[in-house]
Amino acid sequence: MSTTYALFWFDVEDYLTPESDDALKGLLEIFEACGVQATWKMVAEKARSLEDRGRSDIIRLLQRQDIGYHTDNHSLHPVLAEYLADADWDDGVEEVIRRERAGYDDVSRILGPSSTFGQAGGSWAPQLYPFLRDVGVPLFMDEASHIGCDGEPFWYCGVLHVNRMEGSATRAAFDQGDAGLADGNRRFDEIHQRHMAAGGGLVSIYYHPCEWATTAFWDGVNFSNGAMPPRHEWRPAPLRPPGQMAAGLATFRQYLEHIIGCPGVEVITGRQLLNLFPDTARGATITAADLAQALVFDNGVVGVTWFDDVALAPAEVFALVCDTLLEAVVTMTEGVEAGAQELATIVATLENTPYGPVQRQSSTLAAGAKVPMEIFIEAAADARQSLHYHGRVPAAVWAGAQRLSPQDFLVTAAYLLRRLVLAGDDLPAAITVRSGTIDGERHVRADVWGWPIFSQDFTAPRILEHARLQTWTLKPAQRVD
């Protein structure tokens, strides 16, 4: 039976307006009364503020829900994209850890471990993913514009993503009374019906608890357009008129009850989502014959490689091709007779997803150039050693004094592996260089720096270049009901 999974998540961030605490409590009580859970992505400063204000009632309610991490202080300058705008990969990774680890630890201490992470507003950079993997946060959940995958869940940098869900993201306007409720119900029903007809799917529904208490966002009041006033000048957000919070909460409860009551709908949390979208490639064992058969890069375009329902990102394919090709060469040169049949049974196992390269280097050998086979095999061995040492695809694969871009190397090596395993060819004296491109780069958008907290002229092209390079790790997530 088809199922529509409704995922409610809340960015809990306003630590300057105490009245937003009561909105948060009201929402938590609604979910408890309805017998379902949501994911509450907590800014660490908000969690510390609840503790400082003695709101143990709210803390206890949150401890019974699914918790996410939403940065240490959200909108205080410099925000993540600002301090990473000109950073290289390794320095950026270390800076994220330095600035965010203490906040994550505070959220864990006060509320429990986090299942998910969501960025602050439009502030994002891919150097945050090693931090997430290090602290054991396996899910990124947001509705930001930087990276997506055709409106569906996806894997990127080894982390499951629910982001840029496009036609599967929705919400009801709780502050517009019956009209807002009716419109929200209608839009949810349309998505639900579409998913049921397609065999099931996911709906992403998101809010900020402070929206029920205030008429403007707390950070826009204080930190918009790059402003960073001294702490004694920070102001709470303007409040809604008396009665509006209670009315909005009542409307939202009706919206939640409508969704719960729809046949075929299951309300889930981010933590439950991980069981629905496992990475079936991790730990997968793939024979040389199956790998070679799948390595068809039309016009040199390297996209997602499929083995039945197992999706492999280009970085994963790079690792498997290096391992399998080198094992095939050893088998062919160790003095025993080995043909295609023997090579076909070679097995490689994918342990994890390597990161993509951290800088872009073009090939100094043009397509059509010849590389002696001995030099090419030495280059493959060096690439594999580099990948295992650094945990990422190398920026260049060196064939003596000449270099190949990793995509050119992958397409060339895949062609050689196919000839050895499928056609039964002997090792040639030289290999012809072939060119490649990474298809996933098209999923990174360029016009993404419009968050009001940024200065009006803020831009970060280097972050977007890092993002494109990490599309080596991009692949769709497959649902397992």
Side-chain angles (χ1 to χ4, degrees):
M1 178 180 174
S2 300
T3 302
T4 294
Y5 298 97
L7 181 65
F8 282 87
W9 51 274
F10 295 82
D11 287 350
V12 188
E13 60 190 48
D14 184 350
Y15 46 85
L16 299 184
T17 313
E19 290 81 359
S20 69
D21 297 350
D22 296 321
L24 172 59
K25 183 178 181 181
L27 289 164
L28 287 162
E29 290 174 338
I30 288 171
F31 276 86
E32 287 227 333
C34 291
V36 292
Q37 292 183 321
T39 298
W40 309 81
K41 299 187 308 185
M42 300 296 302
V43 169
E45 184 62 20
K46 175 69 172 184
R48 292 188 291 262
S49 296
L50 290 172
E51 195 174 48
D52 292 343
R53 288 198 279 261
R55 296 306 304 260
S56 58
D57 54 339
I58 297 176
I59 289 173
R60 285 194 300 272
L61 287 167
L62 283 166
Q63 289 170 342
R64 296 198 288 267
Q65 297 278 323
D66 181 42
I67 300 301
Y69 182 58
H70 195 43
T71 75
D72 184 36
N73 50 42
H74 198 277
S75 301
L76 270 63
H77 299 285
V79 296
L80 181 140
E82 291 169 337
Y83 68 73
L84 294 180
D86 296 313
D88 64 18
W89 180 262
D90 292 324
D91 288 346
V93 167
E94 291 302 316
E95 189 64 3
V96 172
I97 293 170
R98 182 182 77 84
R99 289 178 177 270
E100 295 295 342
R101 183 59 197 246
Y104 175 82
D105 289 344
D106 280 344
V107 170
S108 297
R109 173 182 59 81
I110 298 168
L111 301 173
S114 295
S115 69
T116 185
F117 173 86
Q119 67 191 51
S123 182
W124 174 90
Q127 292 99 319
L128 65 87
Y129 292 103
F131 164 70
L132 298 184
R133 289 168 67 168
D134 181 59
V135 297
V137 174
L139 173 65
F140 181 102
M141 188 160 58
D142 215 295
E143 192 53 31
S145 58
H146 307 80
I147 182 77
C149 191
D150 302 323
E152 296 291 340
F154 60 96
W155 291 89
Y156 180 75
C157 289
V159 173
L160 179 62
H161 281 64
V162 175
N163 187 60
R164 217 165 80 189
M165 291 290 286
E166 299 174 356
S168 294
T170 189
R171 49 185 274 159
F174 63 85
D175 56 352
Q176 294 181 18
D178 291 342
L181 174 63
D183 183 61
N185 289 346
R186 176 189 59 79
R187 286 189 286 128
F188 177 85
D189 291 346
E190 289 175 353
I191 299 171
H192 174 39
Q193 291 164 13
R194 187 179 78 240
H195 284 339
M196 294 296 279
L202 181 69
V203 185
S204 181
I205 305 169
Y206 61 98
Y207 290 95
H208 303 74
C210 61
E211 295 177 70
W212 275 264
T214 65
T215 59
F217 280 105
W218 63 283
D219 52 353
V221 170
N222 293 281
F223 310 115
S224 61
N225 196 24
M228 189 59 192
R231 285 180 180 266
H232 70 271
E233 294 181 7
W234 294 359
R235 296 175 290 133
L239 299 177
R240 289 185 179 274
Q244 273 199 9
M245 181 192 296
L249 289 170
T251 299
F252 177 79
R253 177 166 181 164
Q254 294 179 70
Y255 179 57
L256 176 59
E257 290 173 339
H258 170 80
I259 291 172
I260 293 171
C262 289
V265 171
E266 181 180 345
V267 176
I268 63 169
T269 65
R271 191 169 299 281
Q272 292 170 293
L273 191 73
L274 297 167
N275 295 321
L276 284 174
F277 292 92
D279 187 358
T280 53
R282 196 163 300 171
T285 298
I286 298 172
T287 66
D290 288 340
L291 180 61
Q293 199 74 254
L295 294 175
V296 180
F297 303 131
D298 292 335
N299 300 314
V301 177
V302 181
V304 176
T305 300
W306 290 92
F307 295 90
D308 296 326
D309 60 348
V310 176
L312 293 179
E316 296 168 334
V317 173
F318 188 99
L320 291 170
V321 166
C322 285
D323 287 345
T324 305
L325 177 61
L326 290 169
E327 184 63 27
V329 171
V330 169
T331 301
M332 296 177 71
T333 58
E334 63 184 3
V336 299
E337 191 168 325
Q341 189 171 356
E342 289 75 22
L343 298 182
T345 61
I346 292 171
V347 169
T349 301
L350 183 68
E351 301 297 339
N352 52 43
T353 303
Y355 291 104
V358 299
Q359 57 178 306
R360 191 182 299 273
Q361 294 192 32
S362 59
S363 296
T364 57
L365 291 169
K370 300 285 187 181
V371 178
M373 183 52 57
E374 183 177 350
I375 298 299
F376 188 79
I377 296 304
E378 289 176 354
D382 184 63
R384 180 174 67 170
Q385 198 274 339
S386 174
L387 184 145
H388 288 294
Y389 183 85
H390 294 289
R392 63 197 185 211
V393 174
V397 178
W398 289 91
Q402 302 295 323
R403 69 172 184 257
L404 293 173
S405 70
Q407 59 268 30
D408 288 356
F409 168 81
L410 176 56
V411 173
T412 304
Y415 175 81
L416 174 60
L417 187 62
R418 286 175 59 85
R419 298 303 303 173
L420 298 178
V421 174
L422 300 182
D425 289 357
D426 293 331
L427 281 170
I431 184 73
T432 302
V433 172
R434 285 166 168 77
S435 61
T437 57
I438 300 300
D439 179 59
E441 292 195 18
R442 64 186 172 88
H443 292 287
V444 177
R445 289 181 180 165
D447 186 17
V448 296
W449 306 117
W451 189 33
I453 302 306
F454 293 134
S455 299
Q456 289 184 357
D457 59 352
F458 178 77
T459 185
R462 194 168 184 182
I463 287 178
L464 297 182
E465 175 66 352
H466 283 304
R468 286 186 286 269
L469 289 169
Q470 292 310 312
T471 59
W472 275 83
T473 69
L474 179 68
K475 62 181 181 180
Q478 296 298 293
R479 191 178 74 250
V480 179
D481 291 306

